[in-house]
Amino acid sequence: MMRSPEFVRSPVLRRLLEYLVEQTLAGNGERLKAYQIAVEGLGRDDSFDPQSDSYPRVQVGRLRKMLELHYAGLSAQESALRQRIVIPVGHYNVDLVPPNVPMATSAPEGAASPGALSQSASAAGAAGSAADATDTSRTSPGDKAPVPPSRFDRGWILWVVRILLLLGVLYIIWFLVRPESASEEAARRDMRAQIAHVTIVTEPAAGNDKLNTAAQIAEMHLQRFETLAVTSGAHRDVTKTDLARAYQLVVRGGGEGVDQSKAPIFLTLRHKASGTTLWSYEVNHDGTSVAAPDVEQDIGEGISVLARSGGVIAQHQRKLIGNDLSPGYPCLIAYDSFRQTRDPALRPGLEKCLEASLNQYPDEPLLLQALSFLELSRPRPNSMVPLVPTARGRDLAEAALRNDGTSALAQIAVARSAWARGNCPRAIAFARRAVESNPLEPDTLGLAGSLLMACGDYTGAEPILERASALNEQPGGYQISSLVITQVINGKRAQALALALRADVPELQTQPNFLLGRALALAANGRVADGQKDWRALEKLVGVPPGTPAAEVLSRFTISPFFARRMQAEAEATGLVPKAG
């Protein structure tokens, strides 16, 4: 159904249907409310007011019509073989109707069915005629003509209502199935047809239970990464991808002479155009089920190396594309490079190509979330605050979420924007949601953990930050800093100090959060003098004279006032800085 023309042209309704199906399968269908659908299913802001905004009801009504149109377009043979998905009028859950059951015409909530409407109209017409007949008998003595009726004839009004209703229905049908203009079609083109594509195959092609299970797990994990398209070997319908962006992930077992029940599984990535093997990964399972949690996690960690930001495929595409800043996929590869290096020289060209890309693909969440990050992180004179709230940065993030409510990148963009505005409840909610959507992307995990830490959820932040560091051999400075600070606050002082000293590399000396974290870890472990040296280095880095009050020092580079107050309290408690007057 999702590949049908109706749903391909309607990404919002496609996502809404997926959400309603998921909630129904989870047993929540009967409890669904308009607010929940608007915020979770349609990506509206959590300030949405269902009493004054009928958006979710309108969209569900459109979805009912879309389903009817889809099934009406099936052949008799197709209809005889398919159950139908329906949304009962007055409800938000979905039902399945068996084949060969006549399709009931749906009506908007609160309206009568077409049959009932016709019957009531006929009855009203008959009553009107009877009333008119009674009226014609009312003549005055000596009058040559009947007295005119005391009210309007309702018969012609009912005919007008019928015609207007018919025109309304015809307009809705035309609106849903009308051909798009060239400009609309261009605006709706799916940029994801350009992105790198991975086809998963087994060797031998027939596979076996173990290899087929491993291939399914690999496909499931690959689908978490939104900058890749993925299909199994059984699906050959992806033809739009340029050969230079086509890859094959081969899943094979151990060689001959090996006990196949305990033989490792090998994942190998090949570039289709050149035939080059780019990556290989061994999964050991010692005879346990491939679907066991630890084996599945092992496969997922391998897939993360392959598919994540800055991973094997992104690096290979960067080599092939070079410095190309054409709109679309080349621009996204340039953005991936910028996220890894934060090279300010890349920003001007990147902003230009992302804006051009958004003009071509205005609904693409990958572009919207990227531009939101550039907008929020735009350098400001004499400021080391990493993110500054702007209305456009917020709007771009919210638009990304509206266009794909299940996107981890859109969810973390909304969390980042909320954090920049000081809205910790929203930042925490969407940070957690992003982690659930993709627990294999180190950048997403690191940012989510940092947001939770800055908003005071130290217990929730620590395991996420630890996982981000475990997945990334070279974690970013903000990930290390956040984990060090979290461990200090959670009482794991020795671990925090060991991590801070192990990560002591020259480029981190220019990051205020790292100097803060290491100073706290040193002071918390009794090395107050060494911690104070780092604090003085922090004062110099943010441009304040020695002895400046801690609150002023922290305000130069922190976002959350709550986080700044907590860091001041920790610094005072460890003797790192004198207590405020």
Side-chain angles (χ1 to χ4, degrees), residues 250-330:
V250 182
V251 182
R252 58 185 178 85
E256 295 182 3
V258 179
D259 182 355
Q260 293 301 313
S261 65
K262 296 184 178 181
I265 297 170
F266 296 95
L267 307 179
T268 302
L269 183 73
R270 296 172 183 161
H271 184 227
K272 280 191 176 182
S274 63
T276 305
T277 296
L278 301 173
W279 172 85
S280 186
Y281 186 75
E282 182 176 337
V283 179
N284 293 297
H285 58 93
D286 292 331
T288 60
S289 169
V290 176
D294 56 338
V295 181
E296 180 181 335
Q297 180 176 336
D298 195 11
I299 294 174
E301 290 176 358
I303 293 299
S304 174
V305 174
L306 178 74
R308 68 193 183 199
S309 178
V312 174
I313 291 178
Q315 291 180 22
H316 186 248
Q317 283 297 306
R318 196 173 303 146
K319 290 179 181 178
L320 296 178
I321 292 173
N323 296 322
D324 185 4
L325 289 176
S326 300
Y329 185 65

Side-chain angles (χ1 to χ4, degrees), residues 190-197 227 240-242 245 317 326-331 360-361:
D190 190 358
M191 193 202 69
R192 293 172 193 244
Q194 300 181 23
I195 64 179
H197 180 260
T227 55
K240 295 182 179 179
T241 305
D242 188 290
R245 296 190 290 275
Q317 283 297 306
S326 300
Y329 185 65
C331 191
Q360 291 188 25
Y361 312 104

